[in-house]
Each structure stands twice: as structure tokens, then as C-alpha cells.
Amino acid sequence: MYRYIAQRLLLLVVTLIGVATITFFLSRVLPGSPVEMMIGFHPTAEQIAAAKKELGLDQPLHRQYVRFVSEAIRGDFGISLRTKQPVVEEIGRRSLATIELTLLTTLLLVVVGVPIGVISAVHSNSPVDHTVRTLSIAGVAFPVFIVGMLLQMLFYGKLGWLPLQGRLSSEVYLDHPFDRVTGMFLIDTLLARDYVAFRDAAAHIVLPLATLTLVTLPLVTRITRNLMMEVLQEDYVRTALAYGMPRRVVYYRYALKAMLIPLMTVVGLTLGFLLGGSVVVEFVFDWPGLGGYVARSIAASDFPAAVGVTLVLASAYLTVNLVVDLLYFVADPRLRRA
Amino acid sequence: MSEEVLAIRDLRIEFPELFRTVEAVRGADLSVRRGEIMGLVGESGCGKSMTAMACLGLVPPPGRVSGHVSVDGFEVVGRPDRELLPVRGGLAAMIFQNPGKALNPFFTIGRQLTDVIRLHHRHGERESREVALEALRSVHLPDPEIALGRYPHQLSGGQLQRAMIAMALACEPKVLIADEPTTALDVTIQAQVIVLLRELADARGLTILFITHDLGVVGSLCDRVSVMYAGRVVEVGSVRDVLESPAHPYTRKLLATVPKLGDGHSELAFIPGQVPDMAFPPSGCAFHPRCERASPVCTKSDPDGRDLGAMHRVACHHAHGGGETEAPGTANGAPAR
Amino acid sequence: MDRLKHLLAALGTALAVAFSPGASAAGTVTLLDSFDVIDWDPAIYYSAETRVVLNIYETLTHYNPDTGEAEPQLATSWSVSDDGLTWTFNLREGVKFHDGSDWNAAAAKANLDRVREMGKGAAYIWDAVTEITATDAHTLTITTSYPAPLDLVASSQYAATMASPAALEQGTDWFMEGNAVGTGPYRLVQWEKSQQVVLEKNEDYWGGWSGDEFDRVVYRLVAEVATQVQMLRGGEGDLMVSTAPADLLHQLEGDPDLVVGVFNSWLNIPLMINVGMAPTDNRKFRQGLTYIMDYAAIANDIYGGYGSVPKSCVPQAMWGSGEHDVAQFDLDKAKMLLEQSGVPKPWKVTYHAYTGRQEIMQIAELYQALAAQVGVEVELLTGEWPVLWKKQTKQESAANMFAVLWWADWPTPAGWLETMFRSEDPIVFNFSHYSNPDYDVVLDEALRLQGSDQAMAVEKFMEAQRIAYDDAIAMCLVDLQKTILHRADLGGVDYNAAYETVSVYNLRRM
Ligand SMILES: Nc1ncnc2c1ncn2[C@@H]1O[C@H](COP(=O)(O)OP(=O)(O)OP(=O)(O)O)[C@@H](O)[C@H]1O
Ligand code: SF4
Ligand SMILES: [Mg+2]
């Protein structure tokens, strides 16, 4: 097992180096003019030349690569051309906003989506099941930004219950400063025992959270249902029933345990998907996370940011995958080599 | 006359589908008496497993069950799940074809045995373990203590089937239903399991319903045998009567395809003609499209069972050796459709 | 464990109270913006930062769009020597920076020297300057190598704002952390990256306070225009700093809570025609092309009436623009000129249309449809602005036509006539690849004169334009108006074409 972990970690490092190299060369080869982006709208020819020099773009490609690698190893991805802030610092700040949102979404998906899928499978072909399946097909058909805007119109425009955008209200940002211990405002405000700020942070996360959950829920529900259906076909489920085990116990203890393993993969993948894929939600709700940063960096040919964020996302994704694979070992005795 | 432990009368099982209804079992009658080993044979898909599942009230949805199944006098059909829990394992315990899959890969053998034992006896943990050990010993599983801590993937197929049998025995059921318990095992292991079952039957007076494809096994293990075709039991009698003087044309066909009786692995070989589509079973006697003796009456009326000898019953208009006229040489396998 | 209990208890208490979004607090004005500040360094910023920083920083002079002249701000008066080479600015006394330090000639010199030395952003506007001297505490002397209109240059919204010398000492990195120390009516109190910028009243502002101004300004960053509109309606926002699309403004016309302010601007759209590649290297052919455009449709339909048919490629709101025979829609004439050009058929031109502004794309499609009517096939090539910009500067990758949204850095027609039309090597903004010595000579004269004799300069700018329009190097598509959407209860909303900002000092709650 330790050997396996070591192998996987090595593979992770190799993959990351590959990803870094590919993104580096892609960012230099693709059209787009980072320099012009960096110096605004009306630069002079001298300014453009100076900026190129500053970025090292006047050097041959292999020199640029060497410089990039040596800086990246030191955790320095340079300064974003678009926001002119250090890439590492910005990614750090933004990934925490993203993590706050995605972890909560994943939690909701597990708490809400998985039971719905299980119930749907256990009562397959019942009215409950049909309703769930119809809704989940309808749900997939709704684009993310439509869901987000509809929620905004309803809960802000019509009902006035929830704020529209941002992570906190202007006044709370100003008048309720708190230590950014974790970078996740729900936790930080509680640690600071600032309930006004907490309430505000909670109110602000509701709509993005709901949107992200709603749009991912159908998928999770459907996958869970299918997984559960498969498990219910298993002979050992029939055995348990044949020996007088109550269905409740069979479904929710035995079958669920078997399903949790593939489900972990699904949750892991969802988490990975959410980490990078919440672009639209972040845009609609002005949630200062990674998704929007990625999208804008790429659109603006901001290659230090794009390369940095690609690496961070790739590492996160690979790590989640690794963790899921290791959980397999814990959960499935068949994989634990005696 | 010994008493019936398992009595199945006019059992019908239907699976409604979108545009048709599959009639998996169509009025089957079966009876197993205390202490005997009853064989149940028939082609694949004729409804053997469904009949067995009906004994536990476990016909999967959307199956609809009607008729009567009584296990040790307890009527099963139409009962809610809750009332059936003591029947399952407690009155009738079942073992399955593929022991490697029938046991839960995520729990140890011990855990699975004790869980079941605690469902049927009010034992504590330690006592359950004792019962489990005892059961494992009685099926001659080597190193039972170690086996308790093992996961299914760590045991061989034969060991697992022994463990399954142990699980069944630990529940002290009135009848053991074995649904093709040896099909997935290799030949030597098959023989060991057969020997074990015979031994248990002799030593404990265990009642067994033994479902199989293997007529050879029937001959060496069973006391009586029922032959099933298209959801009905078409012939029943002592092993001797049925195997030596089969009365139903289908039974004869079955036996004719067995190369040599009792050689251990004589699977049901191919019988000419098509296995009936259970959504649209043939009219009259379901066997008539494949039957050499079929006559016009066979296409119209489904024959009732009638007694041939003391213990020998057959459902056929033109049964062999039943004093009937020989079949009119006309209808040799009318086209199936 | 204790911490967890703590958290759970807190969670309970906190959830017990329901959320209620409300209107902006009294004394606070909330401006909705879609762009965060990027450069905080006054010597570098060169973009949308003006919206915020021009409320913090001030300049020596302030441009008056009605007179076309510079007026006093941090300088109270100025004079220029007869040869036009020496400028003397008398600085306002008693002004303090937000950090309490004094505004004086040394501070002014420090700022301007730093801008020139760094050479970033719009530093080029000071190119004529040879030396800056703090003659005494409140007198600044600037000498130039050729006559330049330094009073106008000093009013520029870029590269001319004055920061505290102590702040300049701290350097660019310090500014970039979100710091700004000026003399203006508001001072920076918070920059919550990608969420908001907050300014507060500078009690000691030299211009004084009448008492009903706002104490606090929140620039809330909201990416989506639709979201901004919802916030305006909900009373959470007071004014949209970013420009809303015309169709949206029309939709909101009936809303009693909202008002659209319409102002003159220096924004326009020249459609540059490449003289260096076939078939637009043919002058007659180019002239023909200029008649293939429904200019009124651009102003009225694409810009929904918030634009007008231009009379020059310099916006009418800018001095020195003048009235010329441009922007004529006449397909027959177009056809005639194209035929006369001798360019063999089939006629085909390429057209760069950058994405991200729907109007640029709509204009391109309109042109394509009209050109088809006279037998010219227009091939649209799309891409992001920076990509197409770079392509257009190199003849190998350039298109025949390229339309760009344009404006000036400081109050001068040179922002168009020099930056876009004058010979250039390497090419930066001369998207026509136009190089005509006659034009250059006249233009250079105009540039020299604008420092000393504006009337004469105007005449030369006119002459230069006549040459360029005769060569048909660009089509003048539209003069745009600046629209500002705000709540009806917000008064004092004004816009000065020279400054891309809304002056919060003038805003009032009504
Ligand atoms: N869920 C179901 N829906 C529809 N039909 C079903 C279902 N389950 C079983 N059947 C049908 O019932 C019939 C009897 O099936 P059963 O499993 O009892 O056959 P079997 O005699 O045990 O065959 P085998 O020897 O292959 O195990 C088959 O024709 C099968 O197609
Ligand atoms: S003889 Fe007739 S009744 Fe008998 S099995 Fe053949 S078809 Fe059926
Ligand atoms: Mg079966």
C-alpha cells in the first residue's frame, strides 16, 4: 500500500510537470497579445518593447521556459498581467472562496442528492422514482445562468429575502472587519464571534450555493440512482433479504456501503468539476473565486495567471482523485492485499 | 404419510411489462415432504428460481404472485414483508448458484453469519459466534475460527458454498432450498457439496428442495423429482419412476439428451425446437410445438395432472405407459410460430 | 473540540436572525462598476481606474468642455513665455494631501519627474518637457523643447494627477496593495479586491463642503449589467458607472425610479481602411467604400439614439474637429467610384471585427450586408481585441478594414489625427498603414501650434483632415454619447468628456 501511494505521488508530480510544460508552451504559442493587455490601450512602441523585456518575452523560448520552471519551483508564478497582482496570492485568496462554495455544494449534494437517488432506486418505477427522473432530466436542460438569474429575481427582486451578489454587504466589509484566518468567511466570522458578519456571509452564499447545487443535483441523483440500482441487483442483496434481513437495513446499510465506493468517485469528480467549473455562478453572483479568474485570465491571454491557475486546478483535481483512490483501499476489503 | 413441509398449489407468477405480460410460472404444483430431497429440473427460464423465490415471498417487483405457497403450514402468498421476515431463513433457507457473489464482499464471513443468526435466535454476540463456529464445523470447513475472520474474496468457491450452507443450517430451517448450488463449481467440488448435502440430510433429516439442470445429480442425490416446463410441473414421481420410466414426452426428451446417466456433469442438452416465449406461451399444452406425440387436442386444452402409479403423476394427454393410445404420427414439431 | 462547540453555538445564534437587504445607508452613495481597479500607481494607471481615482487625485488644471480651455485646480494661474517654451504655474496655497503633508511645487515636481522617468501609461504626453523646476514653494516652472499646450496637458486624466511625495517614496508596490494619497475631496479607505472600493469624505478638502455631500462612496464590483440594474431598482445601488447597452436603456425608459443621463463624449468609432494591401491600396476604391454605410442606422439603431452621425473622425465635442464631407450614405455613388477604380472584379475585402462589444459586431454585419448590395464581398474575421490589434499592425496579418472604439488621453485632436493617421514605424495604432509626407508636414505644424496659437492650430488640423479624408484612409462611423444610468433620487450627475468618471463631490441625494 505504501508503495502504491509512493507510486501515485510520483505519478502526480510527473503529471504536474507535464501539465505545466504544456500550458507554458500553449500560452506562448497561441495568438493573443499579453503585452498589449498589460500596458493599457494607448501604449507607445517603446513601452511595448520595454514591457516585453520586463516579461522576458524578448528571450528565446527555451530560456523563458527555464526561467519559468525555476520560478515555479519556488512557488512564484509571477504577476498577473491583467490584475497586476501576484498570481500566487490571488489564487490563494480566490481558491478559498471557491473551496467554501464547492465544499458546501458537495456537502449539500451528498446530503440531498444521494438520498433522493437512493430512494428513487429503492422505489424504482414508483411515482416517486418517475417524478425524480423527470425532474432531473428537466433540471439538466436549464443553463446555469438562467437558474442563477431566476433565483436572483425571485429571492432578491420579488421577495427581497436574500442579497443579490458578492460575498458580504458593503457595510459589513467596512464596519465588521474580521481576521481572515481560513479565508472562508462562514468560518472566519464565527471564529471572530461576529454574528452580524456571519449572518451576512451566510445570506450571501445561499443563492450561489443553491444555483450550483440545483444544476449539479440532477446528475448526482441520477448517478446515485443508477449505482444503487446496480447494487440492488447484486446477489448478496438477495441473500440478505432471503435470510430475513429487513429491507431498510439491507438498503441503507448493506447496499449503501457497497455504493459508497463508486459514489466517492462521483463526489470526487463533482468536487473537481465544481472547483474549476463554477465560472458562470461566480460571474452571475460576483463570487470572487477561481472560476472567474481562470476564464478572464484565459480570455485576456494573461499567461502567468493562466499557467498558475491551471497548475493549481490540476493539482487539486489529481489530489482529489488520489484521495478517492486511497479511500477505495480503506472501504473495499478486496483491494487490501493480504 | 409424512407431512408436507413445502406445499405449492396452482402458483402463478406474472411480470407485467409495457406491452405484454411474462407468465413466468403458470399454475405450478409442488410438494416437498419432511426429510426428503426433492429435485426440481427443467430448461433454463422455465420458472424454477421464481418458484423458489415465491417460497420466501421474494419475487422481485413488478412480479405478481397468486395461488398458494405454504412453508411448514405458514401461508406465504399475499403476506406483507414484515410477517415474512421469520420465514426467510427461519422456516426456509436458501443457498444460491454463485457463492462468490452471494456473500457480501464488504463483510467478513463471521459478521455475515452472526448477523443472520442474531436475526433468528435471540443470541448475544458471543453465543452467535459459537453457533456460527458450530455450523462451519458441521459443513467441514477447515479452520473455522480463521474462516470467520475472512472476507469472501479470500475463500475458494467450494469453501464459500460450505459457508453458505453453514449459514442456512445455523438458522435451523424446516426446508433448505438449493438453487443450482453446484452449477458454478468445478466437478470435484460439486461432488463434495453433493456428498455434504446427502450427509446432512441423512444425519439431520434435513428437507431439501434441490433445483438443478443436472439429471445425474438428481439420480445420485434426490428421493423424488419434479419436472418443470414453461411454468408448470409436468411430471413428478420418485427418482426411480421418473428417470427409468418417464411418462411425459418432455421428460423423455430430457433423458434422451443425457449421454450417460450418473456421470456427474450431464447438463441438460439441447432439445430441438424453441424454448417458449413466456409472454406468449403456446395454447393448450405448452410443449406441443416441440412434442412428437402432439395431437389436435394438445393445442386446445392444457392437460391436467393424473396419477400413473402411487407416487407418479404426469400432465399429458398422451403420456407414455399410461394406457393411452400412441401418439398420432402426424404432428412432428409443428412450427413454433 | 471547544472550538467546534463554540462554532456550533455561534451558528445557532447567528441563524436565528433573518436577513434583510436594504437600501444604501444614509450618507453613502453606491456606484456599480464592472471593473476592479488594476493600477493604483498614479504614474501608471491608464484605464478604467479613472472612475475611482479621479475622486481622490487632482491635477494642476481642469479642462472645461464648454470653453475648450483649461481652468484652475491645483494651480491657480499660469503663463507661458512668448517663445512658447517656458510655462510658469502658480500653485494653490493651503492645500493638504490626505496624509496631512503640504501641496507645493516640490510635490508637483516629484510627481511629474517620476512620471517622466518611469515612462509608463500616458507619460508620453509630457514628451515636450525638458525640465521642471520648483522655483519657490508655490511656483512651478516647466521648460519645453517645442511649444506644447502644457495647460491642457496638465489637465489630463492620466499621468498628470498629484500624489503625496511620501506616497511616491513608498513606490509602485505599495500603491499596488491598494493605496492612494491625493488632495481630492475623497480619500481611499478600503479596497476589497474584486468586491469593492470604498472612499470617505476628506474633511479638509480645500474646495470646502456645503454639508449635503455624501460621506462615503462605495464602488461595488458587479460583473453583470443585468445584476447592476436589479441593484439599482432595489435601491442597493445609486448609479451605474459602466455604460449600459442602448437596448437596455430603452427598456428602462418607463421606470420612474431610474434616469438616464446623456452627455457629450470623446468616444467615437473610426473604421480604418488599410492603404497597404489590395484592393484597398486603390484610392478610388477606398473612396467608394466610404459611401457604403448607413451612418444614421448606426447612430439611431445600433446605438439607439445615443450617438450621432459624425462630421469628422474627431468627435464634435473635441475642439479642432470641424465639419467635413464624411459619413455620406450613397450606394450609387459607391458603385460608380468602385467601377471607376479599375479594381478587377470580384471585389472582396477583409474586415477585422473584435468581440466583446456587441455594437462593433453589429456594425460589421451591417457593413457586410450593404457591401453585398454593390457587389463587394466582405469577409468578417473576428477575435479578441488584443489579438486583432496585434494582427492589424503587421501587413502580413492585417485586414482591409478595422473598426475601433477610440478616445483621447488629453484634450487634443491629436488623439486621433496623430495617434491613428500619422506615419509610424513600427505601427502601433496607424491601422490604415497610412504614410503621407504631405499629411505629416501639415499635422506637425498643427501640433506645434496648439501650444501657442489654438486658432491657427485648428486651421492646420482642418487642412490635415482634408488630406486624410481625400485619401479615404478611414470612415468616421459615429460620435457616441456617454449615458449614465442612475436612480432618480440622485442629483448632480454630470460628465466631462475629458474625465472618464462621475464626480462624487457634485452628487446629492434628493
Ligand atoms: N423481473 C422480471 N421481469 C420479467 N420477467 C422475469 C423477471 N424475472 C424473471 N422473469 C422471467 O421469468 C421466467 C422464469 O425465470 P426463472 O429465473 O425462474 O427461470 P429458471 O428456471 O430459474 O432458469 P435458470 O435455469 O436459467 O435459472 C423467465 O422466462 C424470465 O424471463
Ligand atoms: S402429448 Fe400433447 S399433452 Fe402430452 S406433452 Fe405432448 S403436446 Fe403436451
Ligand atoms: Mg434459476
Side-chain angles (χ1 to χ4, degrees):
Chain A
M1 173 137 174
Y2 292 107
R3 216 186 116 130
Y4 176 79
I5 296 178
Q7 273 176 1
R8 286 294 305 262
L9 283 175
L10 191 71
L11 189 67
L12 191 142
V13 171
V14 172
T15 314
L16 282 181
I17 293 174
V19 168
T21 308
I22 292 170
T23 32
F24 172 84
F25 283 105
L26 272 185
S27 69
R28 308 288 150 134
V29 168
L30 290 181
S33 189
V35 179
E36 282 83 346
M37 208 66 213
M38 177 177 154
I39 43 192
F41 204 77
H42 285 186
T44 60
E46 301 90 75
Q47 282 176 328
I48 292 177
K52 279 199 171 157
K53 191 163 180 147
E54 195 181 314
L55 291 171
L57 292 179
D58 54 339
Q59 303 271 316
L61 204 56
H62 67 272
R63 284 266 185 77
Q64 292 184 39
Y65 181 66
V66 170
R67 182 175 145 182
F68 160 77
V69 171
S70 65
E71 285 176 356
I73 286 171
R74 277 178 274 131
D76 176 7
F77 290 103
I79 306 283
S80 156
L81 303 181
R82 185 175 60 86
T83 67
K84 308 228 180 141
Q85 297 289 322
V87 170
V88 168
E89 185 221 289
E90 198 151 4
I91 289 179
R93 183 163 39 81
R94 285 174 170 273
S95 39
L96 287 164
T98 295
I99 288 171
E100 182 172 40
L101 189 57
T102 45
L103 276 188
L104 275 178
T105 307
T106 310
L107 194 73
L108 264 187
L109 287 174
V110 169
V111 172
V112 179
V114 171
I116 292 179
V118 168
I119 289 171
S120 185
V122 164
H123 302 279
S124 71
N125 287 316
S126 70
V128 181
D129 183 33
H130 289 306
T131 315
V132 169
R133 285 161 73 183
T134 313
L135 282 182
S136 68
I137 290 169
V140 174
F142 268 100
V144 183
F145 74 93
I146 297 267
V147 175
M149 306 242 279
L150 284 177
L151 289 179
Q152 284 182 329
M153 283 181 206
L154 180 63
F155 289 99
Y156 176 86
K158 261 227 132 47
L159 300 171
W161 289 354
L162 291 167
L164 196 57
Q165 54 82 250
R167 270 184 105 179
L168 285 179
S169 309
S170 303
E171 301 81 49
V172 173
Y173 267 132
L174 269 171
D175 304 332
H176 291 265
F178 51 86
D179 280 348
R180 311 274 164 96
V181 182
T182 64
M184 290 180 250
F185 287 3
L186 287 178
I187 297 177
D188 291 344
T189 49
L190 283 187
L191 290 178
R193 313 197 72 170
D194 186 336
Y195 303 137
V196 176
F198 173 78
R199 198 189 64 187
D200 194 59
H204 277 82
I205 205 173
V206 170
L207 288 185
L209 181 61
T211 307
L212 214 47
T213 307
L214 278 178
V215 298
T216 350
L217 194 64
L219 194 68
V220 171
T221 308
R222 219 162 38 187
I223 293 175
T224 310
R225 179 181 181 277
N226 291 349
L227 289 174
M228 188 70 182
M229 291 290 280
E230 236 166 74
V231 172
L232 291 182
Q233 303 296 319
E234 294 281 355
D235 285 3
Y236 59 81
V237 169
R238 185 184 59 188
T239 307
L241 290 174
Y243 279 86
M245 196 79 70
R247 285 184 194 268
R248 197 171 17 88
V249 180
V250 175
Y251 293 158
Y252 298 107
R253 182 123 43 91
Y254 285 38
L256 206 58
K257 174 149 186 179
M259 200 194 60
L260 280 181
I261 293 174
L263 197 63
M264 276 189 293
T265 319
V266 176
V267 170
L269 289 176
T270 315
L271 192 66
F273 165 77
L274 290 175
L275 277 177
S278 41
V279 181
V280 179
V281 168
E282 291 183 5
F283 193 66
V284 170
F285 294 99
D286 296 297
W287 193 261
L290 270 189
Y293 188 68
V294 180
R296 291 199 178 102
S297 302
I298 291 172
S301 313
D302 180 355
F303 63 80
V307 171
V309 87
T310 308
L311 274 184
V312 167
L313 284 180
S315 330
Y317 203 79
L318 292 170
T319 311
V320 167
N321 259 327
L322 180 60
V323 169
V324 167
D325 282 0
L326 292 182
L327 284 177
Y328 263 59
F329 275 92
V330 178
D332 192 338
R334 282 170 296 188
L335 296 175
R336 274 178 247 145
R337 283 263 144 260
Chain B
M1 204 171 123
S2 41
E3 121 205 39
E4 275 184 322
V5 178
L6 188 62
I8 297 174
R9 299 277 179 271
D10 197 25
L11 177 68
R12 289 172 189 278
I13 302 177
E14 293 176 346
F15 291 95
E17 291 178 355
L18 202 50
F19 297 114
R20 53 184 224 163
T21 298
V22 176
E23 300 175 42
V25 177
R26 308 181 308 129
D29 296 306
L30 187 77
S31 120
V32 184
R33 296 183 204 129
R34 189 173 304 285
E36 77 170 348
I37 303 183
M38 165 64 95
L40 181 60
V41 295
E43 278 172 307
S44 185
C46 70
K48 303 182 297 291
S49 295
M50 283 305 131
T51 305
M53 292 311 274
C55 299
L56 299 175
L58 275 178
V59 172
R64 283 198 304 248
V65 183
S66 61
H68 301 281
V69 175
S70 95
V71 183
D72 198 32
F74 185 92
E75 178 60 48
V76 170
V77 177
R79 295 284 181 139
D81 224 44
R82 173 174 38 85
E83 291 175 25
L84 290 170
L85 294 183
V87 177
R88 299 176 185 156
L91 294 184
M94 199 155 167
I95 61 175
F96 301 96
Q97 178 167 1
N98 192 339
K101 287 186 173 169
L103 285 165
N104 194 326
F106 303 107
F107 297 109
T108 59
I109 305 291
R111 164 88 192 270
Q112 296 188 56
L113 255 70
T114 48
D115 273 1
V116 165
I117 290 164
R118 295 175 67 172
L119 279 173
H120 294 286
H121 311 285
R122 286 173 201 277
H123 287 325
E125 199 154 326
R126 164 166 285 184
E127 263 177 303
S128 311
R129 202 182 131 82
E130 281 309 312
V131 173
L133 270 178
E134 181 49 44
L136 288 178
R137 273 187 212 111
S138 65
V139 298
H140 312 307
L141 195 73
D143 300 323
E145 273 97 355
I146 296 173
L148 279 185
R150 287 282 153 93
Y151 287 94
H153 72 275
Q154 295 168 314
L155 298 185
S156 73
Q159 290 171 322
L160 285 174
Q161 196 59 290
R162 283 175 197 271
M164 272 304 310
I165 296 171
M167 186 152 118
L169 292 181
C171 298
E172 296 171 18
K174 302 290 187 222
V175 54
L176 173 73
I177 301 174
D179 190 354
E180 305 190 37
T182 58
T183 311
L185 304 176
D186 59 44
V187 185
T188 45
I189 312 292
Q190 279 185 18
Q192 290 172 13
V193 170
I194 300 295
V195 169
L196 171 66
L197 287 175
R198 183 77 257 173
E199 176 196 321
L200 290 169
D202 292 343
R204 304 184 161 213
L206 190 63
T207 311
I208 303 176
L209 174 63
F210 191 89
I211 299 172
T212 182
H213 281 155
D214 188 337
L215 284 170
V217 171
V218 170
S220 62
L221 176 67
C222 299
D223 303 313
R224 292 200 303 146
V225 59
S226 295
V227 181
M228 216 171 166
Y229 186 79
R232 293 198 62 180
V233 172
V234 294
E235 182 165 6
V236 59
S238 68
V239 164
R240 208 185 129 140
D241 283 348
V242 174
L243 296 191
E244 284 176 13
S245 45
H248 197 278
Y250 173 65
T251 316
R252 291 174 79 93
K253 278 263 167 61
L254 276 184
L255 285 165
T257 58
V258 176
K260 203 167 104 225
L261 239 158
D263 72 350
H265 56 289
S266 42
E267 288 291 300
L268 287 188
F270 179 70
I271 299 175
Q274 213 166 357
V275 178
D277 176 356
M278 298 304 284
F280 305 102
S283 61
C285 171
F287 190 56
H288 83 254
R290 301 163 81 185
C291 182
E292 283 165 7
R293 299 171 74 99
S295 70
V297 64
C298 304
T299 64
K300 293 193 188 79
S301 93
D302 201 2
D304 289 329
R306 68 200 161 78
D307 290 322
L308 291 180
M311 298 262 155
H312 197 176
R313 271 175 83 79
V314 65
C316 171
H317 292 302
H318 312 295
H320 292 268
E324 285 286 326
T325 51
E326 283 294 303
T330 49
N332 185 4
R337 274 176 200 263
Chain C
M1 195 63 223
D2 253 9
R3 204 158 227 211
L4 185 69
K5 259 193 214 159
H6 204 103
L7 271 174
L8 289 177
L11 195 73
T13 331
L15 286 178
V17 206
F19 174 83
S20 54
S24 302
T28 298
V29 64
T30 305
L31 310 185
L32 308 175
D33 202 342
S34 13
F35 296 102
D36 201 355
V37 172
I38 294 172
D39 284 306
W40 282 104
D41 189 327
I44 298 178
Y45 77 81
Y46 199 11
S47 184
E49 294 89 350
T50 47
R51 295 161 172 187
V52 174
V53 297
L54 291 181
N55 285 295
I56 301 173
Y57 292 115
E58 293 176 307
T59 43
L60 288 171
T61 62
H62 193 76
Y63 180 75
N64 181 335
D66 299 329
T67 61
E69 285 173 5
E71 289 182 347
Q73 195 169 57
L74 285 176
T76 48
S77 61
W78 50 90
S79 57
V80 59
S81 62
D82 288 342
D83 61 1
L85 296 179
T86 306
W87 289 76
T88 309
F89 291 89
N90 299 308
L91 306 191
R92 193 177 293 280
E93 296 187 27
V95 174
K96 285 196 184 305
F97 285 103
H98 299 157
D99 61 7
S101 60
D102 285 326
W103 158 248
N104 53 31
K109 176 178 162 56
N111 273 280
L112 297 183
D113 280 347
R114 183 166 179 270
V115 165
R116 294 188 321 126
E117 195 180 306
M118 288 171 63
K120 301 235 169 162
Y124 76 91
I125 64 176
W126 300 104
D127 273 356
V129 173
T130 48
E131 203 182 353
I132 299 172
T133 324
T135 320
D136 64 44
H138 292 99
T139 309
L140 188 73
T141 308
I142 305 180
T143 56
T144 62
S145 55
Y146 53 86
L150 278 201
D151 53 342
L152 288 180
V153 170
S155 75
S156 168
Q157 58 179 336
Y158 307 116
T161 47
M162 297 295 162
S164 140
L168 299 180
E169 285 291 307
Q170 303 262 14
T172 302
D173 290 348
W174 182 78
F175 281 116
M176 291 304 284
E177 287 163 14
N179 290 296
V181 186
T183 56
Y186 289 89
R187 58 188 176 81
L188 177 66
V189 294
Q190 186 188 49
W191 180 37
E192 183 68 43
K193 287 169 192 164
S194 58
Q195 293 273 291
Q196 64 184 15
V197 177
V198 182
L199 313 185
E200 264 169 16
K201 200 168 167 179
N202 165 21
E203 294 290 352
D204 303 325
Y205 182 52
W206 60 266
W209 297 96
S210 56
D212 51 356
E213 295 90 350
F214 287 101
D215 297 328
R216 224 180 218 183
V217 197
V218 177
Y219 289 86
R220 186 84 177 175
L221 293 163
V222 184
E224 281 267 23
V225 171
T227 314
Q228 297 190 1
V229 170
Q230 285 206 61
M231 291 175 78
L232 281 186
R233 285 204 161 131
E236 210 179 325
D238 293 301
L239 180 147
M240 246 167 86
V241 182
S242 356
T243 301
D247 47 352
L248 181 72
L249 294 177
H250 286 299
Q251 277 172 34
L252 296 172
E253 259 164 12
D255 194 322
D257 291 338
L258 303 181
V259 171
V260 181
V262 182
F263 308 93
N264 284 330
S265 87
W266 288 347
L267 285 174
N268 75 346
I269 303 182
L271 171 53
M272 309 294 285
I273 308 179
N274 191 339
V275 303
M277 86 188 262
T280 47
D281 51 352
N282 179 311
R283 179 158 151 260
K284 266 254 152 57
F285 190 80
R286 289 199 303 273
Q287 285 172 344
L289 291 182
T290 64
Y291 289 94
I292 315 174
M293 184 52 109
D294 188 347
Y295 298 91
I298 298 178
N300 299 327
D301 301 333
I302 294 178
Y303 280 99
Y306 299 117
S308 53
V309 177
K311 301 193 171 74
S312 155
C313 278
V314 179
Q316 288 299 294
M318 172 66 79
W319 66 274
S321 53
E323 300 192 0
H324 303 265
D325 274 342
V326 293
Q328 310 283 334
F329 180 35
D330 187 340
L331 290 180
D332 294 335
K333 187 152 186 189
K335 193 143 195 180
M336 192 187 79
L337 287 164
L338 293 173
E339 298 281 2
Q340 287 174 3
S341 73
V343 171
K345 292 185 186 176
W347 294 326
K348 187 181 168 199
V349 294
T350 49
Y351 186 125
H352 272 159
Y354 59 90
T355 51
R357 270 184 203 279
Q358 60 178 34
E359 294 91 350
I360 290 288
M361 204 52 81
Q362 287 166 347
I363 289 170
E365 282 160 5
L366 175 64
Y367 193 73
Q368 189 181 38
L370 291 172
Q373 293 181 24
V374 293
V376 178
E377 186 199 334
V378 176
E379 187 190 354
L380 294 188
L381 306 167
T382 59
E384 303 249 354
W385 154 252
V387 178
L388 295 190
W389 172 16
K390 197 167 191 182
K391 281 190 170 174
Q392 188 68 21
T393 58
K394 304 231 161 49
Q395 204 55 271
E396 316 84 82
S397 51
N400 292 106
M401 308 181 90
F402 189 27
V404 283
L405 183 71
W406 211 249
W407 66 89
D409 292 345
W410 59 282
T412 170
W416 289 262
L417 301 179
E418 182 186 12
T419 319
M420 303 190 89
F421 293 175
R422 198 188 184 289
S423 305
E424 202 178 23
D425 186 32
I427 302 281
V428 179
F429 291 122
N430 184 343
F431 296 131
S432 303
H433 295 254
Y434 182 53
S435 178
N436 180 348
D438 294 348
Y439 176 85
D440 294 352
V441 167
V442 179
L443 180 78
D444 288 350
E445 226 168 308
L447 295 178
R448 235 184 336 271
L449 285 167
Q450 67 176 343
S452 47
D453 185 344
Q454 198 168 338
M456 272 306 289
V458 169
E459 238 164 72
K460 288 292 171 190
F461 278 131
M462 293 296 160
E463 195 185 332
Q465 285 188 71
R466 280 192 292 273
I467 298 172
Y469 301 145
D470 196 41
D471 278 340
I473 61 162
M475 295 162 64
C476 318
L477 295 185
V478 64
D479 280 1
L480 296 177
Q481 280 166 322
K482 170 77 177 176
T483 53
I484 298 176
L485 181 65
H486 60 91
R487 285 187 63 81
D489 63 359
L490 191 69
V493 179
D494 200 3
Y495 176 79
N496 178 338
Y499 304 99
E500 187 55 34
T501 191
V502 169
S503 168
V504 178
Y505 186 57
N506 296 328
L507 296 181
R508 300 289 187 277
R509 179 85 63 204
M510 302 196 301

